[in-house]
Amino acid sequence: MSLTVNAIRIGVARGWTMFRHLMTTADGLGNTVFWNGVPLGYLILNRNTEIEGVPFSLATLALPGLIGLAITASAYGPAYYIAAEREDGTLLRTKAAPYGIVAYVTGVLVMATLETMVSVLVLLVPGIILFDGLVLPDAIGWLMLVAVTVLALMATLPIGVIIGSVVKSPRLIGGVGLLVIGGMTILSGIFIPLQAFPGWLQVVAQAFPPYWAAMGMRSVFLPDAVVAGEIGQSWRTLEMFGVLGAWALVGALVAPVVLRRMARRATGSSVEANRQQALQRM
Amino acid sequence: MYYMTELATDPRPAGVPNADPAIAVSGLRMRYGTHDVLHGVDFRVERGEVVTLLGPNGAGKTTIIEILEGFRTRSAGEVLVLGKDPEHGDEAWRSGIGIVLQSWRDHAKWRVRELLTHLGEFYAPFSTAERPRPWPVDDLMELVGLAPLALQRISSLSGGQRRRLDVAIGIIGRPDLLFLDEPTAGFDPEARRGFHDLVHRLSDLESTTILLTTHDLDEAEKLADRILILAAGRIVADGSGDELARSVSTRAEVRWSVAGERFVHETADATDFVRQLLLGGEGPIADLEVRRATLEDTYMTLVRRDESAGPTRMEDRS
């Protein structure tokens, strides 16, 4: 077995352990329930809200988009973990082991993916049970669901790795990260159709993954009649794969370079300096 | 004849120079911006040696250790660690090196055995017949006294327990070379004693080469085959505690009392002075004491001498 493959295997186990810790500690579980409860609560409150020209509720219309958004929000995971774990010495600890950084990053990505899957299931399972009008995917629909999910993860997780590697402090991720996610939510076209924005903003929104991930999910779960509400009256499947694929490609090329640069700078004294700063903040 | 046999059974006794040192440093310089922290450091550590790096805060001890670990890029000089330049050390090279880091709050949600098992897995591909890797986790926890805490979350450990975990993580891969940067800071006397036993064990039974930094002179003398004193970015002394004391001062202090009256005399030849004293017939000599310079005296002399001559020191920890 190649040593890198072995490190990836260790990393997958690491990610699973971290995920288990998240689900079995009070603060981890609390965060998960809260962040997934907000969108689900929004949908349940709107399960009877009717929209003009659509034969089903706002909840049904918004659900697929929210699933897409939840997948692209997975970038938050690596951004936060890498920034926080560089500061607290977790990254340095793994860096001291042979092939440690490979396993470390694998662990972070696996954990973020598992967290995202929880978010998707929390929306999808009650949604299918509670809301009318969702199309249950056929074989091709399921394939499409998997393809959009995987591609959207590949498009956004590297963004999280890059952000986590370049920011100075994890506290920045808390503030700026939420702003970015908020902005992306508005621009995702889930709550406000993109056509309602000025032209330049439509172009901006269509340059980023959330809009396309949301639309990909709509194409899986909504009846074709709704496509009339989309730009160009089409699901634009090719464009979706194109934009998400381009982000995935750029991320795969840039993220490892940025990560390696950051990891090289992690030392015992940088962790100690962070610790001293943290003590002063208290 | 005895010497010959010893050579035959142990061709490379600890501390005897050979072609393949664990660490070889020459002309090492480190500059942060316009400020020099290390001005040409030279030293060697032979395989199997335990060497202590002593020096005041900001002398550059941590910088040296981090350069040797491959975590910091030096400004100039030659550095070989286990035969490789640490800046270009690959992962196989890294598998032979153990690092005891000062933990803070990393892996807080992990349990002790869980984390040791996980970190041990990285070393399994580098296991050899002479050096099976990793160290079996249960044996290791027993060794450092963490066995009763195996299932505790790391966030619930006390400061001393965490330091023991740091040591366990540092040696889980059965390293050929172990770096310890102030390993016993925050240890109580009992934990310190336990740690010293562990260092002796690693050195004697595992033939691990150990480089440690400390502020504790007593600890340096107890643990180390050799002591390096770093002051103002240079190695100002290199030798055993005893050798260092002699290098600073060959004089000794002789104290005695006659009929309740105390006397002190400083001399270069204590043996001769004491002989004369006892034969001198000044009456019954009591409380006779011959005191050589201690490591502490030596250290203070060397560091002060250097401070008065050397440039300003301040380690940039960025």
Side-chain angles (χ1 to χ4, degrees):
Chain A
M1 185 169 38
S2 133
L3 291 165
T4 310
V5 172
N6 184 55
I8 291 172
R9 186 190 60 74
I10 298 173
V12 171
R14 180 181 171 86
W16 172 249
T17 305
M18 288 160 66
F19 177 69
R20 212 159 33 74
H21 292 156
L22 188 76
M23 291 299 151
T24 54
T25 50
D27 60 329
L29 197 59
N31 267 322
T32 308
V33 168
F34 178 77
W35 287 111
N36 293 301
V38 169
L40 182 66
Y42 167 82
L43 291 178
I44 290 175
L45 288 175
N46 284 294
R47 68 187 179 282
N48 295 321
T49 309
E50 292 182 2
I51 312 168
E52 214 177 320
V54 179
F56 40 72
S57 69
L58 174 61
T60 303
L61 190 67
L63 175 74
L66 279 174
I67 292 175
L69 188 66
I71 297 170
T72 44
S74 65
Y76 191 81
Y80 181 76
Y81 293 127
I82 291 175
E85 296 186 338
R86 182 186 50 203
E87 187 181 75
D88 73 17
T90 301
L91 180 97
L92 183 64
R93 190 75 89 185
T94 51
K95 180 182 155 180
Y99 294 92
I101 292 289
V102 173
Y104 172 78
V105 178
T106 307
V108 166
L109 296 180
V110 165
M111 162 137 175
T113 303
L114 290 170
E115 275 188 89
T116 305
M117 292 307 109
V118 169
S119 305
V120 169
L121 289 177
V122 164
L123 289 169
L124 189 58
V125 173
I128 288 175
I129 297 169
L130 295 176
F131 311 141
D132 295 330
L134 286 179
V135 176
L136 279 185
D138 54 11
I140 292 176
W142 283 114
L143 209 64
M144 186 74 171
L145 175 65
V146 172
V148 175
T149 304
V150 170
L151 202 58
L153 282 171
M154 288 172 63
T156 50
L157 287 176
I159 302 175
V161 171
I162 293 167
I163 294 174
S165 302
V166 298
V167 293
K168 279 254 172 353
S169 137
R171 281 158 297 283
L172 213 63
I173 304 272
V176 178
L178 282 181
L179 273 180
V180 170
I181 287 182
M184 283 294 149
T185 305
I186 294 167
L187 289 182
S188 66
I190 297 172
F191 301 104
I192 309 162
L194 222 53
Q195 295 90 319
F197 291 117
W200 66 270
L201 205 54
Q202 290 187 32
V203 173
V204 169
Q206 291 182 65
F208 288 99
Y211 171 76
W212 296 100
M215 187 151 80
M217 287 299 166
R218 282 199 291 276
S219 78
V220 171
F221 288 106
L222 294 182
D224 283 338
V226 187
V227 82
E230 301 287 350
I231 292 173
Q233 287 78 51
S234 154
W235 295 122
R236 294 196 287 168
T237 306
L238 273 183
E239 287 94 324
M240 175 195 67
F241 282 127
V243 174
L244 293 180
W247 275 96
L249 189 68
V250 171
L253 292 175
V254 176
V257 178
V258 176
L259 183 89
R260 255 200 300 274
R261 280 178 58 99
M262 179 277 292
R264 207 177 302 139
R265 287 198 302 265
T267 62
S269 34
S270 64
V271 170
E272 176 60 22
N274 292 331
R275 194 173 77 91
Q276 294 301 335
Q277 272 178 18
L279 289 174
Q280 279 168 15
R281 270 196 301 274
M282 278 174 204
Chain B
M1 202 55 218
Y2 170 69
Y3 184 62
M4 295 287 287
T5 355
E6 195 177 33
L7 266 186
T9 51
D10 189 1
R12 268 177 22 183
V16 173
N18 60 62
D20 181 28
I23 300 173
V25 174
S26 68
L28 174 61
R29 291 173 175 276
M30 190 71 202
R31 160 174 288 210
Y32 295 108
T34 58
H35 175 71
D36 284 324
V37 176
L38 303 175
H39 318 255
V41 169
D42 303 274
F43 68 93
R44 278 165 72 98
V45 176
E46 306 303 333
R47 301 237 176 195
E49 260 193 309
V50 179
V51 172
T52 297
L53 194 54
L54 270 179
N57 283 332
K61 301 189 295 289
T62 299
T63 301
I64 290 182
I65 293 256
E66 287 182 355
I67 288 169
L68 298 178
E69 289 166 348
F71 285 178
R72 202 171 269 282
T73 308
R74 62 184 182 270
S75 305
E78 300 293 314
V79 177
L80 280 181
V81 174
L82 297 181
K84 288 214 163 116
D85 181 339
E87 272 177 44
H88 307 113
D90 55 12
E91 302 294 319
W93 171 81
R94 185 152 293 292
S95 72
I97 286 173
I99 298 174
V100 174
L101 294 160
Q102 296 250 17
S103 71
W104 170 21
R105 56 183 186 200
D106 64 289
H107 293 99
K109 287 177 180 161
W110 292 64
R111 296 176 196 279
V112 172
R113 180 194 269 123
E114 190 174 52
L115 182 61
L116 287 172
T117 307
H118 168 65
L119 291 174
E121 282 184 62
F122 288 92
Y123 297 89
F126 302 97
S127 186
T128 59
E130 316 86 81
R131 240 180 162 76
R133 292 174 162 134
W135 205 307
V137 168
D138 288 314
D139 296 355
L140 182 58
M141 286 189 300
E142 200 65 56
L143 186 70
V144 300
L146 284 173
L149 305 167
L151 297 177
Q152 295 252 1
R153 287 206 197 266
I154 291 168
S155 55
S156 73
L157 299 184
S158 72
Q161 290 165 345
R162 286 200 71 132
R163 298 294 292 132
R164 274 185 266 165
L165 177 64
D166 292 338
V167 173
I169 291 171
I171 61 177
I172 183 115
R174 277 193 205 265
D176 302 303
L177 170 61
L178 181 64
F179 292 108
L180 299 141
D181 199 0
E182 291 181 28
T184 56
F187 272 24
D188 62 33
E190 198 191 339
R192 192 173 294 252
R193 170 74 65 85
F195 173 79
H196 292 174
D197 291 346
L198 178 64
V199 167
H200 287 307
R201 212 198 119 135
L202 287 172
S203 172
D204 296 345
L205 302 181
E206 303 276 321
S207 58
T208 308
T209 309
I210 299 174
L211 178 63
L212 62 118
T213 70
T214 182
H215 278 121
D216 186 334
L217 298 159
D218 186 44
E219 179 167 281
E221 211 162 15
K222 267 193 193 129
L223 290 179
D225 299 323
R226 203 147 54 83
I227 294 167
L228 305 170
I229 297 181
L230 185 71
R234 282 193 187 82
I235 302 284
V236 296
D238 177 349
S240 68
D242 209 38
E243 285 166 359
L244 294 190
R246 280 168 206 284
S247 75
V248 169
S249 164
T250 53
R251 301 180 80 78
E253 207 176 67
V254 183
R255 292 162 181 264
W256 72 97
S257 67
V258 178
E261 195 183 348
R262 302 192 61 89
F263 296 91
V264 181
H265 177 79
E266 209 187 90
T267 170
D269 189 346
T271 315
D272 188 56
F273 180 81
V274 169
R275 184 185 296 124
Q276 301 299 331
L277 182 70
L278 292 173
L279 295 174
E282 291 181 36
I285 306 280
D287 304 320
L288 180 64
E289 238 180 282
V290 179
R291 195 171 157 274
R292 286 215 165 269
T294 63
L295 181 58
E296 188 176 337
D297 301 330
T298 313
Y299 175 80
M300 295 312 288
T301 311
L302 286 170
V303 169
R304 283 217 187 99
R305 184 193 290 167
D306 210 89
E307 267 179 345
S308 50
T312 52
R313 302 161 301 103
M314 202 186 76
E315 187 167 355
D316 185 339
R317 283 178 170 270
S318 65

